[in-house]
Amino acid sequence: MSENPILSVEAVTSGYGRVTVLHDITLEAGRFGNVGLFGPNGHGKTTLLRTISGLVAPKSGRVAFDGKDITGLSARAIVATGLIHVPQGNKLFPDLTIGDCMALGAYSPRARPHEAENREKVVKLFPKLAERWRQRVRTLSGGERQMVSIGTALMSHPRLLILDEPTLGLAPKIKDELCAAVMDISKGGVPLVVVEQDIEFLLELSRQLFLVDHGAVKTEIRPGESLEHSEIMAMYFGH
Amino acid sequence: MSVFSDIVFGGLFQGSLYAMMAVGLALVWTTIGVFNFSHGVFMMLGAYFAWQLVAFGLPVVIAFPLAVIVMAGAGWILQASVVRPLIGRPNIVLVVVITTLAAGSLIENGALTVWGPRSKQLPSLIEGNTTIAGVGVSLHQIAIIVITPLILAALWSFLNRTRLGLALRAVAQNEDASQLVGLNVTALYGLAFAIAASLAGLAGIFMGGYRFMNPSMGADPLLKALIVVVFGGISSISGPIFAAYLIGFFEAASNYYFGLYWTPALLFLVLIGTLMVRPEGIFAGRSRGLA
Ligand SMILES: Nc1ncnc2c1ncn2[C@@H]1O[C@H](COP(=O)(O)OP(=O)(O)OP(=O)(O)O)[C@@H](O)[C@H]1O
Ligand SMILES: [Mg+2]
């Protein structure tokens, strides 16, 4: 792994309007491979990811991607650097077909030259999508939509992929399928930052974990500090 | 036979004008989620720009397309000044009704100051008259009936067959997700307004060629366009197009059988009846989005 963190968040304060959600949050990611984020509901994990990808402008602090300051850049400018965010939930583009979504994923000039090659990767990873290429997103199952979300992000030719609860609300079988796909993406060389409630999956995927609590990093778990599930659950519930 | 062709011809002609206006209104609604109440003023402005360019001595083949292009710029500017600053507000739909009404009234009074209240007329697209199936018609009207479907088809292919059109359809459905694939949301909003204003301007040029122009000439077409989009449903652009022609035929038939005087009342009756059965419009799905 590289010497420098691929993503660093320094003393970021952020929120919506007058509501502050993140308080001076600091974390460095990617020095040791994939990063997992977990924590109780409503404590700012999604807000952190939205701030990183430029959907929410931070009130103060600094975000850097691969050594380059991206604080306050538009989401579009951040996409152009190769930092790609798969948002929580799977609203997506309800009236577009899967094929349309993939074409949109490759919209940015950086991704366009790789469109054919990335489409092949997506189809290999999610063969189901190929069968339903002309089907509208609104008619897909939850698991299929999540595949479309991740597939669209892969079409954007990510240098870093941020996933917000990719397995939320999915039945066990389809969840396993998605977990395996996410592992495959990681093995394919794309570093990941993943928010997940499923700690087992997070432990399998990442060597560095952060517990986000009340809009700040409460605990950081580094490689080598192998933790038992029960210890993490204890942290989770704040004992 | 002549009654039938009279109605068909009248329906096609009115339907073309309604479709040209309504499609822009629907495009702005589906991409940005606001109603543009200066859409009628765009129509007037297009006609006056064209008139001015002709008055400068430009030939029609240059003056008319140029006016349409200038209207695209006008649409973009209006969007940037009275719509874009309000995006993200929870009450944006109502606020934009007011800001676009205000801007429209300002532009209308500006036009009155610049061009005066005296009625003007534009040259026809094609001069002359002919007789088709026993009905005497002007070539100008024939041109409108032929050109409108071509332009609407071009718009449809732009939206459905190009990457930029795909981006416009996407931004209508999910703004966050659009940003996360790198779409320039504000530019796409500007583009939607520019296209809508161009189409309205073209409708104004069509109208100025067979009727006298005055600064408030856009008010009635705006009302008709609103009726068309409510009637046809605003979840797509094909809904309003079909509705525009349907209403055109209805009016032509009603004018013939019941007279001009009763037609608006009958139209509203049918509209209200339709909306009681299908509140989302006759050709619509339930969601907002171009398809
Ligand atoms: N658009 C918004 N406007 C105002 N407040 C918001 C908005 N989105 C989220 N919040 C608030 O910000 C806080 C943090 O929410 P966030 O979605 O970041 O939490 P989370 O850790 O991702 O939760 P979850 O595990 O449920 O996804 C919550 O109190 C939430 O109500
Ligand atoms: Mg969340």
Side-chain angles (χ1 to χ4, degrees), chain B residues 93-120:
Chain B
V93 176
L94 287 177
V95 178
V96 168
V97 168
I98 298 185
T99 58
T100 53
L101 268 178
S105 144
L106 213 68
I107 296 169
E108 195 176 314
N109 281 298
L112 194 63
T113 311
V114 174
W115 287 294
R118 266 187 58 190
S119 293
K120 303 186 178 350

Side-chain angles (χ1 to χ4, degrees), chain B residues 185-201:
Chain B
V185 173
T186 47
L188 289 168
Y189 285 173
L191 181 66
F193 253 82
I195 294 172
S198 295
L199 294 173

Side-chain angles (χ1 to χ4, degrees), chain A residues 46 88 164-165:
Chain A
T46 295
Q88 183 174 348
D164 197 349
E165 309 215 20

Side-chain angles (χ1 to χ4, degrees), chain A residues 50 92-93 95 103 115 138, chain B residues 163 173-174 176 182 184 287:
Chain A
R50 289 171 61 86
L92 277 166
F93 302 105
D95 284 319
E115 187 170 2
R138 69 160 72 249
Chain B
R163 205 183 274 267
Q173 294 174 38
N174 189 338
D176 275 351
N184 187 343
S287 72

Side-chain angles (χ1 to χ4, degrees), chain A residues 50 53 55 75-76 79 85 87 91-96 100 103-108 112 115 136 138 152 156, chain B residues 160 163-164 166-167 169-171 173-185 188 235 287-291:
Chain A
R50 289 171 61 86
S53 62
L55 288 176
R76 184 166 64 107
V79 168
H85 175 190
K91 269 182 28 197
L92 277 166
F93 302 105
D95 284 319
L96 296 189
D100 285 341
L104 272 181
Y107 196 86
S108 87
R112 221 168 284 183
E115 187 170 2
R136 284 176 194 247
R138 69 160 72 249
T152 304
S156 301
Chain B
N160 289 287
R163 205 183 274 267
L164 190 56
L166 174 61
R169 288 188 290 136
V171 79
Q173 294 174 38
N174 189 338
E175 196 183 315
D176 275 351
S178 298
Q179 286 189 281
L180 291 177
V181 291
L183 302 188
N184 187 343
V185 173
L188 289 168
S235 68
S287 72
R288 196 187 111 204
L290 289 166

Side-chain angles (χ1 to χ4, degrees), chain B residues 246-266:
Chain B
L246 206 63
I247 289 179
F249 286 121
F250 176 85
E251 283 194 345
S254 162
N255 279 341
Y256 186 84
Y257 292 110
F258 304 104
L260 269 175
Y261 185 73
W262 281 103
T263 297
L266 284 174

